[in-house]
Amino acid sequence: MKKTIFITSIFILLSLLTPSLSSTPTCNKNDEKALFQIKKSLGNPYHLTSWKKNEDCCTWYCVKCDRTTGRINELTIFSGNITGQIPPEVGNLPYLKYLEFRKLTNLTGQIPSSISKLTHLTMLTLSWTDLSGPVPSFISQLKTLNYLDLSFNKLTGSIPPELATLPKLIEMDLSRNKLTGVIPESFGKLSKTFVALHLSHNQLTGHVPKSLNISTIDLARNQLTGDLSLIFGKNKAIERADFSRNGFQFDISKVVFPKSLTWLDLNHNKIYGSLPATLTGLHLQNFNVSYNKLCGKIPRGGELQKMELTSYFHNQCLCGSPMPACSKRSGLF
Ligand SMILES: *[C@@H]1O[C@H](CO)[C@@H](O)[C@H](O)[C@H]1NC(C)=O
Ligand SMILES: *[C@@H]1O[C@H](CO)[C@@H](O)[C@H](O)[C@H]1NC(C)=O
Ligand SMILES: *[C@@H]1O[C@H](CO)[C@@H](O)[C@H](O)[C@H]1NC(C)=O
Ligand SMILES: *[C@@H]1O[C@H](CO)[C@@H](O)[C@H](O)[C@H]1NC(C)=O
């Protein structure tokens, strides 16, 4: 009898303990408060109906918690019917690592300065929205940032030179905005971690900093001018580059293309001279020099003859396979 009572009470005790043993820590109260402010600020949208009082906010839609601390570390609002501005209260989630507002065509206003308080951010994505105003220089205070994606918005003004000082940045995408001005000279001194820079589809002008040295670079569809020779060179990291549809003007025969180069688009510029023979030594997957002012025989070898004719057409007098043979009259055999 005694034994049965003992076992039963152990059983009851265990069943009482089990839920608290197996559950992760509940959401931090300050973070919950900030999330309710964010929800209210966005006009209590349908997208956030799972954000309810008396339910652990670690289980809510669009957020994630750190399992050990119960602090919110991810806020991802993607493709909802959200109208309004980015709530400044996002700055009250101090342990955020990922912050994302994406595919929200009715998200308007500027990027709020409270984001500068998020000193643990590793990824900031504000993309495919109707955000306007400048690319804020305070983003350079987010020293732990690895990925910055502000593409497909309506941002205006110039690129803040301070962004080049971010010590852990790997990739920056500011493409598809309305940015003007030059690529800051500071981008010639990016950190060693930096791999990819995307600035295409803007209205950037001026020259590209000569010491720029990264493996992936997309500057297509701007109004950039000047010489790209020094972006290439024996000791440069460049692997994939799109410089198409700009006003670049230089003699390509003098360029030293690094062995690492696999993907190059130079179409629609004012590049002149003949293609250097060193191009035949590259493992090119894509190569397009169409719509320039190039002349002379396409060097034979490597991948150059495997490219389509459209990679070479609309130049001054490029000839030889895959273009028509060089004519006797041109003196090019
Ligand atoms: C944007 O707002 C307009 C006007 O309120 C609304 O009709 C439309 O459905 C919204 N679109 C999206 C994708 O949120
Ligand atoms: C978005 O929300 C607005 C206002 O709540 C509503 O009028 C509109 O129909 C919604 N649009 C879509 C695409 O759900
Ligand atoms: C460019 O970057 C690569 C890889 O980080 C490095 O090995 C190379 O020395 C750099 N070249 C120049 C000219 O700074
Ligand atoms: C090269 O670029 C031109 C201009 O954009 C385009 O018409 C052509 O199809 C491209 N060729 C290849 C092989 O990508």
Side-chain angles (χ1 to χ4, degrees):
M1 195 62 191
K2 241 184 184 171
K3 200 179 175 190
T4 320
I5 290 169
F6 178 72
I7 288 171
T8 311
S9 49
I10 288 273
F11 189 76
I12 289 168
L13 195 68
L14 269 178
S15 62
L16 281 174
L17 278 172
T18 309
S20 63
L21 281 174
S22 65
S23 71
T24 48
T26 49
C27 168
N28 177 277
K29 285 295 157 203
N30 292 330
D31 288 356
E32 183 187 64
K33 192 175 151 206
L35 290 171
F36 277 126
Q37 286 169 338
I38 289 166
K39 182 178 176 181
K40 189 175 168 212
S41 184
L42 291 172
N44 299 313
Y46 174 75
H47 200 69
L48 304 179
T49 39
S50 72
W51 294 17
K52 284 189 201 128
K53 275 235 148 58
N54 306 321
E55 273 179 40
D56 180 2
C57 71
C58 290
T59 67
W60 294 356
Y61 190 51
C62 302
V63 297
K64 280 201 178 123
C65 274
D66 181 303
R67 276 168 175 273
T68 53
T69 61
R71 303 301 305 237
I72 296 287
N73 58 13
E74 289 185 29
L75 173 60
T76 303
I77 301 188
F78 168 69
S79 195
N81 187 354
I82 304 265
T83 298
Q85 308 204 357
I86 296 178
E89 292 87 358
V90 294
N92 299 339
L93 295 167
Y95 290 89
L96 270 190
K97 284 186 182 160
Y98 291 8
L99 176 61
E100 177 171 330
F101 283 83
R102 193 157 63 91
K103 293 244 167 125
L104 303 166
T105 47
N106 284 347
L107 190 71
T108 54
Q110 302 199 0
I111 300 171
S113 59
S114 60
I115 285 181
S116 65
K117 292 193 279 179
L118 302 175
T119 53
H120 292 94
L121 270 195
T122 59
M123 192 193 82
L124 176 61
T125 298
L126 310 172
S127 178
W128 294 89
T129 75
D130 213 22
L131 287 173
S132 55
V135 174
S137 58
F138 62 70
I139 289 177
S140 65
Q141 292 166 32
L142 305 172
K143 300 295 182 203
T144 53
L145 211 57
N146 296 140
Y147 296 95
L148 174 64
D149 182 359
L150 304 178
S151 63
F152 289 90
N153 295 301
K154 292 184 177 156
L155 304 175
T156 51
S158 54
I159 301 171
E162 299 88 343
L163 288 188
T165 66
L166 282 165
K168 295 193 172 157
L169 206 61
I170 294 170
E171 185 158 8
M172 182 192 298
D173 190 348
L174 307 179
S175 62
R176 309 248 179 185
N177 279 288
K178 297 173 173 176
L179 302 177
T180 51
V182 301
I183 300 173
E185 208 50 46
S186 56
F187 278 64
K189 280 184 252 143
L190 296 166
S191 81
K192 286 258 181 289
T193 57
F194 213 108
V195 171
L197 177 64
H198 311 270
L199 302 175
S200 72
H201 294 83
N202 279 291
Q203 295 149 32
L204 301 171
T205 51
H207 297 193
V208 178
K210 289 184 177 64
S211 46
L212 186 72
N213 185 27
I214 46 175
S215 55
T216 296
I217 179 162
D218 184 1
L219 304 180
R221 293 181 192 253
N222 279 285
Q223 294 148 32
L224 297 162
T225 52
D227 188 352
L228 287 173
S229 309
L230 293 169
I231 302 303
F232 302 101
K234 224 177 179 163
N235 298 315
K236 289 294 186 106
I238 197 159
E239 284 172 27
R240 301 173 64 86
D242 191 347
F243 297 112
S244 66
R245 295 179 193 261
N246 279 285
F248 293 116
Q249 194 166 15
F250 58 95
D251 183 352
I252 203 167
S253 67
K254 304 223 166 73
V255 177
V256 178
F257 290 101
K259 282 262 187 281
S260 54
L261 192 67
T262 58
W263 204 104
L264 180 64
D265 200 339
L266 296 171
N267 86 69
H268 284 94
N269 280 287
K270 296 172 183 162
I271 304 165
Y272 54 91
S274 56
L275 293 174
T278 50
L279 282 171
T280 62
L282 304 181
H283 298 289
L284 292 169
Q285 292 158 12
N286 179 58
F287 182 69
N288 197 330
V289 292
S290 65
Y291 294 92
N292 278 289
K293 296 180 179 337
L294 301 175
C295 213
K297 190 170 197 276
I298 297 169
R300 279 205 84 88
E303 310 297 321
L304 293 187
Q305 274 66 47
K306 293 176 193 157
M307 301 295 155
E308 285 175 42
L309 182 141
T310 59
S311 287
Y312 299 102
F313 71 171
H314 291 278
N315 271 288
Q316 214 156 59
C317 51
L318 268 188
C319 58
S321 173
M323 290 285 278
C326 301
S327 71
K328 267 187 185 152
R329 232 178 339 150
S330 66
L332 301 159
F333 285 99

